[in-house]
Amino acid sequence: MQDSFIQAGKEQQLVPTTEPERQYYFMELLRRHNEKKSTELGRALTYHIETFGCQMNAKDSEKLAGILETAGYVPVDSEQADFVLYNTCTVRENANTKVYGRIGYLGNLKSKNPDMRIALCGCMMQEPHVIEKIKKSYRFVDIVFGTHNIYMLAELIWRRVSGQKQVFEILDGTSKIVEELPSEHKYRFKAGVNIMYGCNNFCSYCIVPYVRGRERSRKPEDILAEVKKLASEGIVEVMLLGQNVNSYGKTLDNPVSFAQLLREVEKVDGIERIRFMTSHPKDLSDELIEVMRDSKKICRHLHLPMQSGSTEILRQMNRKYTKEDYLRLVEKIKTAMPEISLTTDIIVGFPGETEENFKDTLDVVEKAGFDSAYTFLYSKRTGTPAAAMENQVPEDIAKERFNRLLALVSEQSAKLTAKHTGEVAEVLVEEQNEQDASLMTGRLSNNLLVHFPGDRSLIGKLVPVKLEECKGFYYIGALQQ
Ligand code: SAH
Ligand code: SF4
Ligand code: F3S
């Protein structure tokens, strides 16, 4: 029988032991199984992936979708599906709470459709206390895996299909990078490309190094092969992804710098725009600034998380730069590229933050000039050094500071955004406007959004648009002929 195929001793020998061959083997088994099931039901088997968190997770979800589609599932927009997967985030407590609420909702759906299969993966699943809670309180969950083995999805589903009641497969870490697996793209004109995984920085507030493991860079030849393939499929914009792209390549057998990698990506025909995320200020090199300045393709946007403007808090955060270092870096970047849009992340209410420390943050915001800033209330993450620090800031004080920061950031961002009024800029058209179908939405090199009258034939094209009216954080524009 098909379903017991893998358990039968003799056939076990047929299962490849190398990757990615092993996973293609399971995708094929599952595809045949699903085909049979779908004939019985008289309809296709469906899947839905809900993604929480950052671009890293979004990219992982594309890979997971690639595996599911190869295995014969078709995508649907709602959680009324045969296979539902939550790709979770745990960077802040509220990301976590959101997921628990939603898992409860999935339980209700499953009680109406017992054939439904529920899987959880992503950063939250790397935390032992989360796994305990799922084992105890969410028994209806079928499959749970972490961030290190997403490539195994077909194999894990196969185990469930073959009779295992609940499949838990969480690895503590990995040095393995499995290449050449299928991947779906959310957009047909832009795509994320992982250049590295994990993080070695251990900022004292941050859970990412614990749930994503040690820093591993992909080989430049693998990255370039992927970018070339994307270009041949019509992708014009790539976003190079890593928790700290500026330390790319340091651990490779033949070390390569991020700036050198960018030079190579720039040479790929068909790629018109290059973005990257995220840059840690401590590792941003002069070579990178030069490559950006001289590039025709690298977008005029740099996301440079500062986290705090206070040298003392930065030291407690283990960020390895001072207030002055950060301001000097901003000046260097703006001198080389005066038109660059600078964005940042800021945490308010880190343990021990005084009013004085907070004023340093406001001071850097005033001096640096951010086109936009993501502001976060400090969130205590179990297992991080900051969670054990004394003098946690009371919530009301943190909130009050947060509001003051937000007011300053918004005011500054509105001013900086408005200064482009009247300019004609090259825009990559992304989608039809959700509220008004007569408008198209596109993105400038500096990451600003513009809405302008147009039609869907423009999607994926680079077109000149006049920025006529600034509406706070976006523009209304007109297509230029
Ligand atoms: N690797 C990136 C950031 C990844 S997490 C970098 O170093 O810049 C994205 C953002 O979440 C961080 O920049 C930080 O501002 C915020 N963040 C991370 N941990 C947090 C916590 N415990 N509380 C509040 N914000 C946090
Ligand atoms: Fe977290 Fe710091 Fe690593 Fe960014 S660099 S992921 S903030 S530990
Ligand atoms: Fe969240 Fe994991 Fe990204 S914790 S922010 S999804 S790396």
Side-chain angles (χ1 to χ4, degrees), residues 148-164:
H148 300 300
N149 52 354
I150 61 163
Y151 68 90
M152 282 176 74
L153 177 60
E155 181 171 350
L156 300 179
I157 301 178
W158 186 254
R159 276 201 228 153
R160 178 68 184 90
V161 164
S162 322
Q164 195 174 329

Side-chain angles (χ1 to χ4, degrees), residues 334-391:
K334 289 202 167 176
T335 308
M337 295 166 281
E339 74 288 18
I340 198 147
S341 154
L342 202 63
T343 58
T344 199
D345 291 347
I346 304 170
I347 298 175
V348 176
F350 182 84
E353 183 188 73
T354 62
E355 176 62 23
E356 210 54 34
N357 298 147
F358 175 66
K359 282 203 174 120
D360 275 327
T361 297
L362 294 178
D363 189 41
V364 176
V365 170
E366 262 168 25
K367 289 187 172 132
F370 295 113
D371 292 74
S372 74
Y374 297 89
T375 49
F376 305 107
L377 272 175
Y378 167 73
S379 169
K380 194 170 170 176
R381 309 314 291 130
T382 311
T384 61
M389 286 180 188
E390 284 166 15
N391 50 40

Side-chain angles (χ1 to χ4, degrees), residues 53-54 57 89-91 123 212 243:
C54 68
N57 261 15
C89 169
T90 187
V91 75
C123 296
R212 285 271 168 181
Q243 292 298 351

Side-chain angles (χ1 to χ4, degrees), residues 195-359:
I195 62 166
M196 60 207 297
Y197 301 95
C199 181
N200 282 354
N201 292 304
F202 291 96
C203 301
S204 63
Y205 50 82
C206 184
I207 192 106
V208 172
Y210 305 89
V211 296
R212 285 271 168 181
R214 294 294 61 72
E215 187 178 296
R216 290 143 353 252
S217 292
R218 279 177 81 194
K219 292 192 203 116
E221 55 270 30
D222 288 335
I223 297 169
L224 288 167
E226 182 176 342
V227 173
K228 281 179 193 157
K229 181 162 173 283
L230 290 170
S232 74
E233 292 165 0
I235 296 286
V236 292
E237 179 178 303
V238 287
M239 162 87 89
L240 307 180
L241 298 169
Q243 292 298 351
N244 176 12
V245 292
N246 297 331
S247 72
Y248 169 78
K250 288 185 181 159
T251 52
L252 287 171
D253 292 339
N254 299 311
V256 176
S257 71
F258 179 52
Q260 282 168 308
L261 178 72
L262 279 173
R263 278 204 193 96
E264 295 306 313
V265 175
E266 173 112 17
K267 288 182 198 152
V268 178
D269 285 335
I271 296 299
E272 307 285 350
R273 280 183 171 185
I274 304 167
R275 298 184 187 277
F276 52 84
M277 248 184 139
T278 296
S279 272
H280 194 307
K282 80 177 163 71
D283 295 310
L284 199 145
S285 67
D286 289 350
E287 189 194 8
L288 175 64
I289 299 178
E290 256 168 56
V291 170
M292 283 185 83
R293 183 197 61 201
D294 298 340
S295 166
K296 296 265 177 304
K297 296 184 178 176
I298 301 175
C299 286
R300 286 311 183 235
H301 173 219
L302 186 67
H303 186 62
L304 191 66
M306 71 178 246
Q307 312 300 3
S308 168
S310 150
T311 298
E312 176 51 26
I313 296 297
L314 286 167
R315 197 176 63 78
Q316 297 283 345
M317 286 177 160
N318 194 29
R319 290 291 287 182
K320 304 203 163 71
Y321 52 87
T322 64
K323 175 183 180 182
E324 288 71 30
D325 292 337
Y326 189 86
L327 284 170
R328 260 196 303 274
L329 185 58
V330 166
E331 197 181 300
K332 205 151 59 170
I333 293 163
K334 289 202 167 176
T335 308
M337 295 166 281
E339 74 288 18
I340 198 147
S341 154
L342 202 63
T343 58
T344 199
D345 291 347
I346 304 170
I347 298 175
V348 176
F350 182 84
E353 183 188 73
T354 62
E355 176 62 23
E356 210 54 34
N357 298 147
F358 175 66
K359 282 203 174 120

